């Protein structure tokens, strides 16, 4: 019933759960004690041996009820403490492990799937850990205690009490037959509905612009109709037997059965009035759990599925880091016979051997899909080459510690995501950095004036005090990279989201600030990199040309054709002076 993945995940909080289960078992057993006390007193009264003034039965019943409440509260506190500890532990483990995964493994999962694992799947364990385990304990303990009591009086009475339970379990198992495949289809149908909703909402501008709103609505309607048809058919196929499994254990039905059985047992002389009276009082508690077992089983299924998804992420191969005993000799970068393919797919980069001398400015250009961003990502070790090596100062990146590598390399992505925090924290990453240094970097990236117009300046919180445009967010990222002051700087279309005036400001600032650094710039606008020490032309995952701007124009090859194609559109664009 409990999957191996689920057992593995809850192991760290097992002592708390064991204590919670023990408390809940005692609480469930205590709920049967008042029934036993009442049955014993009634039996004594029938025999004429009961003392009307004796408070003992009432005191026993009251004490048991109070004990049950206190023990239930203790069990709930323990299980919720275990749940809180488990969720914190798992989310920390997941975030730490995700940070160690190769970028390809991380991005292939997609933001939605990662969010589902870290938030939704971990959250889906809550009901199991905090509630279902205790519910199942009660469902098992109370009937066993009641049945044990009846068995001490008369085994025949205990057998009668057991009959509705056996019938209910049999009917419930019939209703659940084939449910595994149906639960899979249920999840798939729900996913289809969710996907249709997301696609429709995200595509509203497009469908309106092209007059396809009705088509998008029809896609959603088909998904919901398919879910309705499937779920209705499943419900109809199990409705009768599921209803029967509930009816057979309802108090009205069980009491009617017990009354008929009691008459038969008494008439045949097979039992005593004491035993049949106990059957009427405690018997319904034996069969009642069948009526509530379904939701508990579903909670266990849901938690098992969530646990499997969490374990799948935790077991994903993480990137290993060395202790970093070797120090790079300088900030020179070497690509030595580098090959790379994503997740075992075809090669994206083919046998690249290039050198970025220390303190040089290298531009990487080429058509979309040629592998430029992949090339740069290897320098930041977001992936490891599938062949060859990338070295900094003569040291293979795989021999560096994580701290060493990112003390040497900083980068700015094409798409910048700012964290929900202050502008200052987004610039410094939470490090202690002087205000003058922060302002210098922000000014160089042409974002200081914008920050000072915010309500709290650098203490303004992104998403609350500050709503930055894509270009402004990009400038924050550039300032962040400059503030780290690493000897190697990678700019992946760093000015792609900025206007011409801002591009000019940033390019002039970079021209001063990148001197002495090893700079790799990925650019589509060729005019922005004409001053580069070397320009590498990447096409189809191969370096097809390399040289300075003038050398490549003179060669009249691929770069020259790209330049000629862009020249009519580049009038007035800024020229990079970083050299």
């Amino acid at each position: 019933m409990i999957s191996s993945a689920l057992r593995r995940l809850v192991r760290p909080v097992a002592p708390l759960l064991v204590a919670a289960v023990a408390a809940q078992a005692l609480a469930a057993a205590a709920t049967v004690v008042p029934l036993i006390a009442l049955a014993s007193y009634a039996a004594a009264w029938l025999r004429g041996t009961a003392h009307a003034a004796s408070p003992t039965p009432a005191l026993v019943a009251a004490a048991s009820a109070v004990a049950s409440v206190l023990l239930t509260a203790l069990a709930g506190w323990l299980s919720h403490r275990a749940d809180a500890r488990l969720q914190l532990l798992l989310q920390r483990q997941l975030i730490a492990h995700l940070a160690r995964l190769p970028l390809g493994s991380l991005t292939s999962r997609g933001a939605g799937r990662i969010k589902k694992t870290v938030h939704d799947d971990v959250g889906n364990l809550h009901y199991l850990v905090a509630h279902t385990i205790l519910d199942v304990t009660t469902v098992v303990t109370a009937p066993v205690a009641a049945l044990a009591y009846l068995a001490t009086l008369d085994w025949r009475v205990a057998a009668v009490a057991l009959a509705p339970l056996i019938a209910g379990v049999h009917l419930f198992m019939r209703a659940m037959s084939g449910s595994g495949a149906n639960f899979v289809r249920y999840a798939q149908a729900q996913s289809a509905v969710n996907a249709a909703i997301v696609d429709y909402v995200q595509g509203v501008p497009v469908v309106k612009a092209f007059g396809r709103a009705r088509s998008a609505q029809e896609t959603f309607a088909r998904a919901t109709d398919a879910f309705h048809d499937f779920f209705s058919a499943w419900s109809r196929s199990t409705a009768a037997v599921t209803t029967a499994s509930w009816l057979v254990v309802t108090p009205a039905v069980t009491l009617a059965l017990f009354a008929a059985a009691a008459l038969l047992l008494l008439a045949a002389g097979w039992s005593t009035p004491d035993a049949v009276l106990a059957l009427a009082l405690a018997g319904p508690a034996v069969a009642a759990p069948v009526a509530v077992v379904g939701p508990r089983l579903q909670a266990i299924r849901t938690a098992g599925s969530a646990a499997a998804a969490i374990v799948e992420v935790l077991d994903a191969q993480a990137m290993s880091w060395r202790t970093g005993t070797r120090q790079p000799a300088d900030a020179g970068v070497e690509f030595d016979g580098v090959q790379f393919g994503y997740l075992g797919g075809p090669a994206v980069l083919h046998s690249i051997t290039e050198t970025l001398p220390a303190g040089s400015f290298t531009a990487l250009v080429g058509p979309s899909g040629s592998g430029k961003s992949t090339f740069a990502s290897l320098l930041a070790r977001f992936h490891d080459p599938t062949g060859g090596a990338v070295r900094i100062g003569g040291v293979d990146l795989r021999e560096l510690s994580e701290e060493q590598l990112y003390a040497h390399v900083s980068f700015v992505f094409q798409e910048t995501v700012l964290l929900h925090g202050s502008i200052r924290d987004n610039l410094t990453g939470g490090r202690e950095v002087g205000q003058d240094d922060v302002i210098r970097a922000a000014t160089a990236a042409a974002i200081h004036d914008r920050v000072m117009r915010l309500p709290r300046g650098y203490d303004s919180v992104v998403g609350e005090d500050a709503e930055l445009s894509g270009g402004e967010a990009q400038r924050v990222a550039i300032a962040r990279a400059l503030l780290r002051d690493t000897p190697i700087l990678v700019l992946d279309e760093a000015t792609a989201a900025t206007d011409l005036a801002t591009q000019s400001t940033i390019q002039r600032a970079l021209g001063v600030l990148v001197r002495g650094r090893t700079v790799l710039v990925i650019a589509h606008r060729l005019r922005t990199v004409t001053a580069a020490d070397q320009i590498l032309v990447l096409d189809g995952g191969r370096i097809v040309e390399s040289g300075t701007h003038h050398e490549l124009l003179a060669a009249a090859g691929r770069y020259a054709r790209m330049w000629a194609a862009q020249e009519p559109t580049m009038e007035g664009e800024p020229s990079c002076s970083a050299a």
Side-chain angles (χ1 to χ4, degrees):
M1 183 65 69
I2 302 296
S3 67
S4 59
L6 197 51
R7 288 195 297 271
R8 168 183 161 183
L9 293 185
V10 302
R11 193 172 295 130
V13 295
L16 279 173
L17 291 179
V18 169
V21 166
Q24 190 63 37
L26 292 173
T31 61
V32 180
V33 173
L35 297 177
I36 295 174
L38 179 59
S40 299
Y41 183 80
W45 184 79
L46 289 175
R47 293 193 302 270
T49 58
H51 299 287
S54 174
T56 301
L59 291 176
V60 169
S64 299
V66 172
S68 177
V69 170
L70 294 177
L71 287 167
T72 298
L74 174 62
W77 179 78
L78 289 170
S79 67
H80 278 80
R81 185 176 179 184
D83 170 61
R85 183 177 298 178
L86 180 63
Q87 292 206 36
L88 178 62
L89 175 65
L90 289 179
Q91 288 182 330
R92 284 179 171 174
Q93 286 181 341
L94 285 166
I95 293 301
H97 190 71
L98 287 167
R100 295 194 298 270
L101 291 181
L103 186 63
S105 175
L106 190 63
T107 55
S108 67
R109 298 173 187 276
R113 186 177 171 191
I114 292 173
K115 179 264 180 186
K116 178 181 180 297
T117 301
V118 175
H119 183 269
D120 299 348
D121 288 334
V122 172
N124 282 338
L125 299 181
H126 161 76
Y127 195 78
L128 174 78
V129 174
H131 301 282
T132 302
I133 289 177
L134 302 186
D135 292 344
V136 170
T137 301
T138 300
V139 160
V140 172
T141 304
V144 168
L147 192 62
Y149 166 65
L150 294 175
T152 62
L153 298 178
D154 189 333
W155 68 268
R156 288 173 288 262
V157 166
V160 171
L162 198 57
L165 176 62
I166 294 174
V169 168
H170 172 70
L171 292 169
F172 183 77
M173 294 302 293
R174 283 186 56 191
M176 294 296 291
S177 177
S179 61
N182 283 326
F183 276 119
V184 172
R185 289 186 60 194
Y186 179 87
Q188 292 172 342
Q190 277 197 323
S191 296
V193 172
N194 291 337
I197 294 173
V198 171
D199 289 345
Y200 177 70
V201 172
Q202 291 183 339
V204 164
V206 176
V207 299
K208 285 188 174 181
F210 288 91
R212 302 288 294 172
R214 181 177 298 277
S215 175
Q217 292 169 354
E218 289 172 353
T219 301
F220 172 69
R222 283 195 298 271
T224 54
D225 288 346
F227 176 81
H228 172 270
D229 294 343
F230 155 71
F231 192 71
S232 296
W234 184 17
S235 299
R236 285 193 300 270
S237 67
T238 61
V241 68
T242 300
T243 303
S245 71
W246 294 339
L247 286 176
V248 76
V249 295
T250 57
V253 173
T254 54
L255 283 174
L257 172 65
F258 295 159
L263 291 175
L264 178 62
L265 292 172
L266 290 174
W270 293 341
S271 190
T272 64
D274 294 8
V276 297
L277 181 59
L279 173 64
L281 292 172
V286 175
V290 175
V292 297
V293 73
R296 278 68 185 176
L297 289 178
Q298 178 57 25
I300 294 173
R301 284 179 181 271
T302 300
S305 177
I310 293 170
V311 166
E312 189 268 333
V313 172
L314 291 175
D315 287 346
Q317 184 64 44
M319 185 172 282
S320 61
W321 293 90
R322 301 289 181 86
T323 55
T325 55
R326 296 183 60 190
Q327 287 290 339
D330 55 31
V333 177
E334 179 187 1
F335 285 74
D336 184 6
V338 169
Q339 294 194 160
F340 178 75
Y342 288 97
L343 301 176
V348 176
L349 300 177
H350 307 272
S351 302
I352 293 179
T353 299
E354 293 290 342
T355 299
L356 284 59
S360 67
F361 170 32
T362 299
L364 187 64
V365 302
S368 297
S370 60
K372 299 188 299 297
S373 294
T374 301
F375 182 100
S377 72
L378 295 179
L379 177 54
R381 209 191 167 199
F382 294 153
H383 315 278
D384 281 333
T386 51
V390 181
R391 301 185 182 93
I392 293 178
V395 181
D396 193 316
L397 299 190
R398 289 166 290 200
E399 297 181 23
L400 297 174
S401 69
E402 189 172 10
E403 292 75 14
Q404 276 182 306
L405 175 61
Y406 296 120
H408 280 78
V409 183
S410 58
F411 37 85
V412 178
F413 297 110
Q414 291 185 46
E415 297 181 3
T416 297
V417 176
L418 299 182
L419 301 178
H420 182 77
S422 69
I423 297 293
R424 186 188 311 278
D425 286 343
N426 271 279
L427 287 170
T428 65
R431 296 177 296 122
E432 291 292 333
V433 179
Q435 178 74 356
D436 291 343
D437 292 331
V438 170
I439 293 174
R440 177 182 60 82
T443 301
I447 193 63
H448 172 71
D449 291 342
R450 174 70 175 94
V451 173
M452 296 310 296
R453 290 197 298 271
L454 296 173
R456 290 186 283 166
Y458 284 94
D459 293 322
S460 299
V461 176
V462 175
E464 294 180 8
D465 306 309
E467 294 292 344
L468 301 184
S469 68
E472 290 167 343
Q474 194 78 329
R475 281 180 271 166
V476 170
I478 293 170
R480 178 168 54 204
L482 296 173
L483 194 58
R484 292 189 59 218
D485 198 26
T486 58
I488 301 172
L489 181 63
V490 179
L491 304 176
D492 186 353
E493 293 289 354
T495 61
T498 59
D499 56 36
L500 292 178
T502 302
Q503 286 177 33
S504 180
T505 302
I506 293 175
Q507 295 289 359
R508 286 195 299 271
L510 289 175
V512 175
L513 294 173
V514 302
R515 288 198 179 108
R517 290 192 177 99
T518 304
V519 181
L520 175 63
V521 174
I522 299 175
H524 284 161
R525 301 182 182 95
L526 302 185
R527 180 164 289 189
T528 64
V529 294
T530 56
D533 296 317
Q534 64 174 341
I535 300 173
L536 305 179
V537 183
L538 191 64
D539 192 7
R542 292 181 169 84
I543 300 295
V544 296
E545 287 184 304
S546 64
T548 66
H549 170 69
H550 296 294
E551 290 171 346
L552 292 175
L553 286 182
R558 180 60 186 269
Y559 180 84
R561 292 193 296 272
M562 293 171 60
W563 176 266
Q566 289 190 15
E567 180 64 23
T569 67
M570 293 192 297
E571 187 66 31
E573 290 196 12
S575 176
C576 181
S577 58

